[in-house]
Amino acid sequence: MKQTIAAPPVIRLGTDYIGKPVSRVEGLAKVTGAAKYAAEFNVPDLLYGYVVSSPIAKGKITRIHADEVLALSGVLQVFSHENVPSLAWFDRSYKDDLAPGGSPFRPLHDAEILFSQQPVALVVAETFELARYAASLLRVEYAAEAHETDIEKKRDDGYEPGRGKSGFMPPPKPRGNPNEAYKNAAHQHEAEYIHLAQHNNPLENFATTVEWLGEGKKLNIFDKTQGAMNVQQYLTKIFGLSKEEARVISKFTGGAFGAGLRPQYQVFLAVLAALALERSVRVSLTRQQMFSLGHRPHTLQYLKLGANENGGLEAVHHAALAETSQFEDFTEVVVNWSGLLYQCENVKLDYQLTKIDANSPIDMRAPGAATGSFALESAMDELAYKAGVDPLDFRLLNYAERDQNMNKEFSSKKLRECYHQGAARFGWEKRNPTPRSMRDGNWLIGYGMATGCWDATQQKAAAKASLTADGHLMVSSASNDIGTGTYTIMTQIAAQTLGLPLEAVTFRLGDTELPEAPVQGGSWTAASVGTAVQAACQALGKKLLKLAQQLADSPLQGAAFEDVQFVDGVIRLNEDISRRVGIAELLDASGEEKVEAEATTGPNMLKQQPYSMHSHNAVFVEVRVDEDLGTVHVARVVNAVAAGRILNPKTARSQVLGSVVWGIGMALMEESIMDHGFGRYINHSLAEYHIPVMADIHTIDVVLVEEEDDIVNPLGVKGIGEIGFVGVAAAVANAVFHATGKRVRDLPVSLDKLL
Amino acid sequence: MNSFTLTQATAIDEALRDKASHDNSAYLGGGTNLIDLMKENVARPTHLTSLHKLPLSQIERAPDGGLRLGALATNAETAYHPEVEKHYPLLSQTILAGATPQLRNMATDGGNLMQRTRCYYFYDLATPCNKREPGTGCSAIGGYNRIHAILGASEQCIATHPSDMCVALAALEAVVQVSGPDGERRIKFEDFHRLPGERPELDNTLQPGELITAVDLPEKGFAKHFTYLKLRDRTSYAFAAVSVAAALELDGNTIREARLALGGVAHKPWRSKEAEALLVGRPATVETFRQAADQVVKGAVGQGSNDFKIELARRAVVRALKQATEMNYELDENAFLNSNP
Ligand SMILES: Cc1cc2nc3c(=O)[nH]c(=O)nc-3n(C[C@H](O)[C@H](O)[C@H](O)COP(=O)(O)OP(=O)(O)OC[C@H]3O[C@@H](n4cnc5c(N)ncnc54)[C@H](O)[C@@H]3O)c2cc1C
Ligand code: SF4
């Protein structure tokens, strides 16, 4: 390619997108219905499967009267443990990437009932209505056995779980002498904090459509999931399919909040039926059935805090007991935060599980941290009152400059700025410290605050970038977008890295045929996939530079990659921006159809090893409580979040807004009521499982405190999907105490507890 | 859900005949309750007589000077009807305190009266329920009963009637206009819904085949001093834990006439005539209201998870009466919109 091309005119396209409030790139598709969700793929000749769920919590299926239902015309099959074809023999084949320790639930495997609402059969028919009707007629006989679903009755059977689940860190060993320090503390506080189970309840119902393309051909599996790759590896192991045969597609996900981290039983059932019947099959779950997909576990927490005369924290003891199923040890990090968030020399942290006859819990937004922070931050508030220190000052006084759990520096930590900026925005100084001292007619007014913390992690991920002659850049990775804004921020990163206009860039995700990516969760997607996208685009940039240098009289002759910048559609020298080559012209001149590059990235262990990496927030809440009637309104929330670099303040703000709404829900209304007589969640509908409605939400003010951090990952991002939720429930409960003088230690703070 | 046939009736006679000529049939109003129950297999009619085409959606002056609400008028049309807003603002307020705009656009006034309890167990076929299947037992007794009755319950059933609208209709002494195989009849609102007693499967006194054609409101609308106070677990789109409809006629500070009805506490909208009697002739003070409130909850029994409702009901009655006294709708038309805690 020895030709010369003229330098393009200078046009300010403004291709610096990172940090700009770019609107969702998939927004139009979503609001016009062009974005299709798992249950919306209307493939030809579709069959419908309807799940039959167990009414009992424990026992055995003794008989299934499938013949009665099969007699209905249009019903094709009733799948149950009686006729399921032999599948993978070992239960470890059912382990997905996020499976905790133990033996995973195997749908329709045998006659054993392990939890109420367990799927016991799948009725497949020509129409959805017929499948549903037939399912209602299916008589299943059971031999029920005595169950126990009450964690209170299993308090004495607690045990320390193993590491089991990826990402789980058991509590660190005790440090100092917590018992002694507590005994000698000038101010002591000891209490138990409780919340019942909660369910993720994403708006989109769980569903899978399996498209059967013919004998020996692949299956297109449209699934609602947070991780297409995880679902694929699960299915291939169980059904003995190759990766080519099991293509999992999940381009749009209507929320999941953790419920989609593990393959759920509808995908298993849909694939089972499609393979057995050699037809396309859809299985969708009802809202009621979704109460069997896992939950935030009912957890009992014991807190013991001691402070000296000056309010310095002397002793922390935090112990948690959480439920898990009989078959798996679901674990989450509940107590570790209590050794991390405040400076304290004497700390003891315990975490135990106890088994009940319910399905395994599952990660639910900010798993563990939401639970632990409620107890710790409520207890900190209580101790602040005892020590006569303002709750904010109390936290500043005990600010941790170092991670004492790991004995490491923080890679960055602007929590102090969160406290200051949040308090200023909120007007914390107007707070009268005395409970019940602020009112407006019947309304008691309360100010409360709390702190949150979450991990900043990066996972291994791959991405591919492909620039075609028409100037269009396609970037892809098998990641997922559960509504968080992944499509948008990846498009921004790619466009900026190669200096292309946003409109010239498309990002693809949610397909196992794309480069490998981790499940969308843990707030790690921006860091993990973002880094891979950036690296793939940089690799592509290097190829472009090489091409540019092959031009005759190339203005970029001899320049290293570091010497050039990709801006406004050109490659130009840092030192002399008039020496430039237009990317479009370059592609034209090169005659290449397309230029491609791939990259796989992961955390830089060497660089990160000496550091502790976390995001933080400070939440300030004003509540108004009706003095006589106990109704609580969260009038105002200021949430100041430090989560590294903010890629897109608009989508980031949305994440924090949603988090605050979640926090208000957790604080005031969410609870899954287990009727222990039946061993069954009894309020299993959105009419009776309450989440906030618009009328419950008033002013929410999000403060994004930016941090520079080149240790967490090259982009400097920490992730923002979860941190905004941590601490909100405690801040609300603390505000309610300030308003009323009543301390509610068992969530939710419903009106009956304030009468 | 089972499959079913459906007829669109265009006249009352036709609807009555159509329903009678099909076994296991039901009338279909807005469908917001019936269809849900069918999806859950709680109701399994094999034939529906749709009422949509009946000429019963008008709201007009009744012969006796009151207002007649056609059974097919939607909850939204009723709440926003100028006559209702002007003369029966309490009714508007109760309707708007219920459900959501979408539901109120679909739900009919006749259907609202007939809606069934929201008892968790009634909805869940995995659990026994005397109302759904007489004789199987009541799972709510000894179970989770936060939304259950504190007044008028029986050992067979402790469910509540979930309607907001009906609380106002009870307070306003509405009359239900009915057509049936044996002709027309009028049912006083207090006689329309019933207590569970030994027959929890019966929510009301409507006879098989009978059709609600209208709800009549008497002339007196208590349009000056009234309140509907609805206490619930979230600010909208939740059924009442306890609700109170209070309507007063004042002469200076003296109560001339009083109406008091509660929702969320019993198998029917709970009107307390004893408490009303106690109010009449007395000064409108908190002390008077407290006595009335004590009277309302006299004999109330908690079932465990709903024990709090007894105290909540007491306080709610006091607050509602206070709000009704302080409100003057003739002077401030927006007053009721801002009155809920
Ligand atoms: C999620 C949810 C939340 C809700 N929240 C509230 C709330 O907060 N407060 C509240 O008051 N309500 C609430 N509702 C209930 C709602 O008000 C009722 O569903 C509605 O009023 C029923 O009216 P419909 O016309 O849709 O009745 P349908 O569902 O059509 O019928 C209900 C019953 O009435 C019978 N029927 C209907 N019309 C007639 C007639 N003319 N004569 C004789 N029988 C008849 C039917 O056969 C059926 O048995 C809620 C409902 C839902 C689904
Ligand atoms: S309270 Fe009534 S509706 Fe509820 S379970 Fe008991 S009998 Fe059934």
Side-chain angles (χ1 to χ4, degrees):
Chain A
M1 192 179 65
K2 280 287 168 202
Q3 51 177 306
T4 53
I5 53 175
V10 177
I11 305 169
R12 283 285 313 142
L13 291 169
T15 51
D16 289 347
Y17 296 107
I18 295 179
K20 300 275 162 62
V22 172
S23 292
R24 281 174 191 276
V25 296
E26 83 286 18
L28 185 69
K30 279 187 174 164
V31 298
T32 55
K36 278 196 187 293
Y37 294 79
E40 299 179 330
F41 289 89
N42 292 321
V43 300
D45 299 324
L46 190 59
L47 296 176
Y48 299 81
Y50 197 88
V51 175
V52 179
S53 314
S54 167
I56 63 165
K58 191 176 175 191
K60 282 190 178 55
I61 304 166
T62 52
R63 201 160 163 210
I64 298 185
H65 298 264
D67 45 329
E68 297 170 1
V69 165
L70 286 167
L72 290 176
S73 118
V75 174
L76 277 90
Q77 186 54 287
V78 176
F79 292 97
S80 71
H81 71 282
E82 290 181 349
N83 64 355
V84 154
S86 62
L87 298 169
W89 183 251
F90 297 106
D91 67 351
R92 65 167 179 270
S93 303
Y94 286 76
K95 278 212 172 219
D96 64 277
D97 288 345
L98 281 122
S103 166
F105 170 63
R106 288 174 280 176
L108 312 189
H109 179 70
D110 55 23
E112 213 70 40
I113 298 297
L114 300 167
F115 55 93
S116 187
Q117 288 197 304
Q118 172 180 324
V120 297
L122 182 79
V123 179
V124 182
E126 295 286 357
T127 66
F128 172 75
E129 289 75 12
L130 183 59
R132 178 170 63 180
Y133 173 54
S136 79
L137 296 182
L138 183 67
R139 286 196 298 132
V140 182
E141 293 175 32
Y142 300 88
E145 291 161 27
H147 60 260
E148 185 54 77
T149 48
D150 192 353
I151 180 176
E152 298 279 357
K153 301 234 167 78
K154 303 275 288 192
R155 272 182 190 261
D156 298 335
D157 299 338
Y159 63 94
E160 276 169 28
R163 273 184 174 263
K165 183 157 162 280
S166 92
F168 172 66
M169 287 284 288
K173 297 232 150 33
R175 63 178 182 252
N177 193 339
N179 287 342
E180 196 67 18
Y182 181 78
K183 250 188 256 155
N184 299 332
H187 305 288
Q188 298 172 328
H189 168 68
E190 186 181 0
E192 187 170 71
Y193 300 85
I194 299 173
H195 66 68
L196 300 187
Q198 297 158 8
H199 279 82
N200 312 54
N201 271 322
L203 193 56
E204 183 202 4
N205 285 35
F206 273 76
T208 306
T209 305
V210 179
E211 184 179 18
W212 169 265
L213 295 170
E215 173 81 49
K217 301 236 176 68
K218 70 178 173 189
L219 300 176
N220 282 331
I221 301 159
F222 301 96
D223 189 32
K224 180 202 171 81
T225 173
Q226 288 171 256
M229 302 289 294
N230 191 21
V231 172
Q232 184 190 47
Q233 69 91 5
Y234 170 84
L235 295 173
T236 52
K237 283 192 301 182
I238 295 171
F239 293 100
L241 299 167
S242 69
K243 287 192 171 182
E244 291 66 39
E245 287 168 323
R247 178 184 181 191
V248 180
I249 303 163
S250 169
K251 293 188 186 301
F252 295 98
T253 304
F257 309 111
L261 286 173
R262 301 185 65 186
Q264 291 287 10
Y265 59 74
Q266 91 287 343
V267 71
F268 171 96
L269 296 174
V271 170
L272 174 85
L275 290 173
L277 301 173
E278 304 196 338
R279 292 276 300 270
S280 296
V281 176
R282 174 181 303 155
V283 177
S284 28
L285 301 186
T286 64
R287 178 62 55 181
Q288 284 77 350
Q289 288 169 339
M290 279 167 61
F291 279 74
S292 66
L293 298 181
H295 52 275
R296 190 192 301 286
H298 181 177
T299 307
L300 313 177
Q301 299 184 73
Y302 170 74
L303 250 296
K304 209 163 148 182
L305 301 179
N308 61 30
E309 294 293 347
N310 307 322
L313 208 52
E314 292 291 340
V316 173
H317 181 192
H318 185 175
L321 178 70
E323 42 124 336
T324 190
S325 63
Q326 297 291 355
F327 46 94
E328 283 176 323
D329 284 347
F330 172 82
T331 50
E332 53 184 8
V333 174
V334 175
V335 295
N336 304 16
W337 317 98
S338 296
L340 169 77
L341 215 39
Y342 301 104
Q343 166 75 28
C344 186
E345 303 307 324
N346 306 294
V347 176
K348 182 165 157 37
L349 306 171
D350 298 309
Y351 176 67
Q352 294 201 331
L353 299 180
T354 192
K355 290 194 173 296
I356 61 168
D357 295 305
N359 193 10
S360 298
I362 200 164
D363 287 320
M364 177 164 157
R365 203 171 196 172
T371 297
S373 76
F374 162 63
L376 173 68
E377 291 297 290
S378 296
M380 283 294 285
D381 200 64
E382 300 203 49
L383 188 60
Y385 281 99
K386 286 190 176 166
V389 185
D390 172 272
L392 173 59
D393 293 341
F394 188 50
R395 286 168 173 88
L396 285 165
L397 194 68
N398 291 294
Y399 196 83
E401 299 288 358
R402 212 182 147 73
D403 174 349
Q404 288 180 289
N405 278 353
M406 312 278 283
N407 194 19
K408 286 179 180 181
E409 295 292 308
F410 289 108
S411 63
S412 61
K413 178 178 175 182
K414 285 208 176 170
L415 175 58
R416 191 174 273 120
E417 286 78 354
C418 292
Y419 285 139
H420 290 314
Q421 292 185 29
R425 264 290 241 287
F426 183 80
W428 183 256
E429 80 285 352
K430 294 199 200 83
R431 178 179 186 267
N432 180 332
T434 315
R436 283 186 86 87
S437 61
M438 296 164 63
R439 67 158 67 226
D440 169 13
N442 290 324
W443 298 105
L444 297 170
I445 296 173
Y447 287 4
M449 57 90 50
T451 310
C453 185
W454 187 247
D455 296 329
T457 48
Q458 185 189 350
Q459 309 279 326
K460 186 172 163 229
K464 181 174 173 184
S466 168
L467 184 63
T468 39
D470 59 4
H472 189 264
L473 176 67
M474 174 77 80
V475 186
S476 53
S477 175
S479 181
N480 204 285
D481 187 338
I482 53 177
T484 40
T486 310
Y487 274 113
T488 310
I489 58 169
M490 296 308 157
T491 307
Q492 288 173 261
I493 293 169
Q496 172 155 339
T497 307
L498 285 173
L500 296 172
L502 214 54
E503 306 73 57
V505 182
T506 307
F507 182 69
R508 289 178 61 204
L509 53 65
D511 186 336
T512 48
E513 294 191 343
L514 303 177
E516 197 158 343
V519 296
Q520 157 89 294
S523 293
W524 60 52
T525 300
S528 313
V529 181
T531 302
V533 164
Q534 189 187 40
C537 291
Q538 283 167 343
L540 181 71
K542 284 179 188 156
K543 290 189 178 172
L544 292 176
L545 178 61
K546 203 171 259 169
L547 281 177
Q549 289 172 335
Q550 287 164 13
L551 297 167
D553 305 325
S554 172
L556 304 176
Q557 210 61 58
F561 186 64
E562 292 69 35
D563 300 334
V564 301
Q565 41 186 248
F566 290 75
V567 179
D568 291 345
V570 305
I571 315 173
R572 65 192 193 191
L573 279 186
N574 293 335
E575 299 298 323
D576 176 2
I577 62 169
S578 70
R579 291 181 56 187
R580 60 195 194 280
V581 172
I583 294 172
E585 292 83 350
L586 174 62
L587 283 172
D588 218 24
S590 71
E592 305 269 345
E593 283 281 304
K594 62 177 160 190
V595 186
E596 289 188 331
E598 270 197 69
T600 301
T601 53
N604 183 339
M605 297 295 190
L606 217 61
K607 196 169 177 182
Q608 295 181 350
Q609 204 286 322
Y611 296 98
S612 170
M613 303 176 295
H614 292 96
S615 52
H616 293 88
N617 71 332
V619 193
F620 299 83
V621 168
E622 176 185 326
V623 295
R624 297 164 78 84
V625 184
D626 190 292
E627 185 177 11
D628 305 319
L629 306 173
T631 45
V632 180
H633 292 273
V634 178
R636 229 155 39 90
V637 179
V638 175
N639 197 346
V641 179
R645 185 186 198 183
I646 298 303
L647 295 170
N648 181 331
K650 195 171 190 175
T651 52
R653 182 170 174 276
S654 289
Q655 284 300 299
V656 180
L657 288 179
S659 290
V660 170
V661 175
W662 263 63
I664 293 172
M666 178 175 177
L668 299 183
M669 55 193 85
E670 287 196 49
E671 56 179 344
S672 300
I673 306 292
M674 176 70 89
D675 179 310
H676 296 301
F678 297 105
R680 187 173 174 86
Y681 295 113
I682 200 67
N683 58 336
H684 50 40
S685 75
L686 286 183
E688 297 301 337
Y689 181 94
H690 294 136
I691 56 171
V693 294
M694 286 312 289
D696 293 303
I697 305 304
H698 302 281
T699 311
I700 302 175
D701 195 355
V702 177
V703 181
L704 299 170
V705 178
E706 290 231 14
E707 291 171 319
E708 262 177 50
D709 191 331
D710 62 1
I711 293 157
V712 282
N713 51 65
L715 284 166
V717 303
K718 289 182 174 175
I720 200 155
E722 288 163 295
I723 181 60
F725 168 47
V726 188
V728 179
V732 173
N734 293 343
V736 168
F737 174 77
H738 181 236
T740 63
K742 285 205 179 98
R743 179 64 67 176
V744 180
R745 300 193 183 94
D746 56 329
L747 292 179
V749 186
S750 44
L751 76 179
D752 47 303
K753 295 174 188 164
L754 297 175
L755 288 183
Chain B
M1 190 186 237
N2 48 271
S3 43
F4 56 88
T5 52
L6 182 138
T7 313
Q8 292 270 13
T10 51
I12 294 175
D13 289 358
E14 189 194 344
L16 295 173
R17 256 184 285 119
D18 182 69
K19 168 112 178 27
S21 63
H22 292 88
D23 289 338
N24 191 17
S25 56
Y27 292 125
L28 178 68
T32 61
N33 189 215
L34 182 58
I35 303 295
D36 273 5
L37 291 167
M38 290 169 70
K39 286 187 195 163
E40 300 288 335
N41 297 304
V42 176
R44 293 174 177 245
T46 48
H47 178 77
L48 297 181
T49 306
S50 169
L51 307 178
H52 282 251
K53 296 238 161 91
L54 294 190
L56 291 177
S57 42
Q58 68 286 33
I59 294 175
E60 60 195 10
R61 285 261 143 231
D64 63 358
L67 199 67
R68 171 162 290 187
L69 312 174
L72 266 277
T74 67
N75 288 179
E77 283 160 2
T78 309
Y80 295 119
H81 193 278
E83 289 283 324
V84 177
E85 283 187 326
K86 187 150 188 268
H87 299 292
Y88 308 93
L90 174 64
L91 180 60
S92 287
Q93 198 184 6
T94 53
I95 294 173
L96 296 179
T100 64
Q102 294 92 328
L103 284 159
R104 296 193 296 262
N105 284 340
M106 285 303 292
T108 63
D109 290 350
N112 195 306
L113 267 59
M114 298 293 292
Q115 65 174 299
R116 310 216 61 192
T117 184
R118 308 303 293 200
C119 171
Y120 325 103
Y121 303 95
F122 175 71
Y123 265 84
D124 189 343
L125 260 63
T127 64
C129 165
N130 281 332
K131 187 180 276 299
R132 182 169 21 84
E133 271 180 81
T136 55
C138 171
S139 298
I141 297 176
Y144 185 66
N145 43 45
R146 182 178 174 82
I147 59 175
H148 290 75
I150 50 171
L151 287 161
S154 76
E155 278 171 18
Q156 302 298 321
C157 177
I158 58 171
T160 51
H161 191 263
S163 170
D164 292 299
M165 179 184 183
C166 290
V167 183
L169 294 177
L172 294 171
E173 294 189 343
V175 176
V176 184
Q177 183 77 34
V178 167
S179 284
D182 305 326
E184 299 186 358
R185 66 183 182 117
R186 290 168 63 79
I187 309 172
K188 282 178 20 191
F189 207 79
E190 62 187 290
D191 298 331
F192 186 78
H193 294 104
R194 58 185 293 285
L195 292 177
E198 292 301 307
R199 299 291 303 278
E201 70 278 16
L202 300 179
D203 295 347
N204 52 53
T205 55
L206 205 66
Q207 295 305 303
E210 278 187 326
L211 176 72
I212 300 172
T213 54
V215 178
D216 287 354
L217 298 170
E219 198 166 358
K220 188 150 196 167
F222 294 88
K224 198 165 167 191
H225 297 286
F226 65 89
T227 259
Y228 185 60
L229 179 68
K230 182 176 179 183
L231 302 172
R232 45 186 151 175
D233 287 327
R234 63 181 164 195
T235 314
S236 174
Y237 196 29
F239 292 92
V242 166
S243 68
V244 181
L248 298 173
E249 200 176 280
L250 297 175
D251 179 359
N253 194 38
T254 306
I255 301 170
R256 281 276 153 260
E257 203 173 340
R259 297 286 173 79
L260 197 57
L262 279 75
V265 296
H267 199 257
K268 61 187 286 188
W270 189 263
R271 177 153 173 222
S272 177
K273 288 191 178 172
E274 300 80 4
E276 290 171 4
L278 223 148
L279 289 164
V280 173
R282 306 274 303 277
T285 62
V286 169
E287 185 41 43
T288 309
F289 302 156
R290 288 218 176 101
Q291 290 175 17
D294 289 342
Q295 178 61 45
V296 171
V297 298
K298 203 173 257 179
V301 183
Q303 301 284 344
S305 352
N306 71 350
D307 292 349
F308 74 96
K309 285 206 236 180
I310 301 174
E311 179 59 21
L312 188 64
R314 268 190 69 247
R315 296 183 185 199
V317 167
V318 174
R319 173 67 63 83
L321 287 166
K322 198 159 162 266
Q323 271 179 200
T325 304
E326 286 163 7
M327 137 170 300
N328 190 333
Y329 185 59
E330 283 167 10
L331 299 177
D332 178 8
E333 291 203 3
N334 287 321
F336 79 73
L337 293 176
N338 308 320
S339 62
N340 254 358

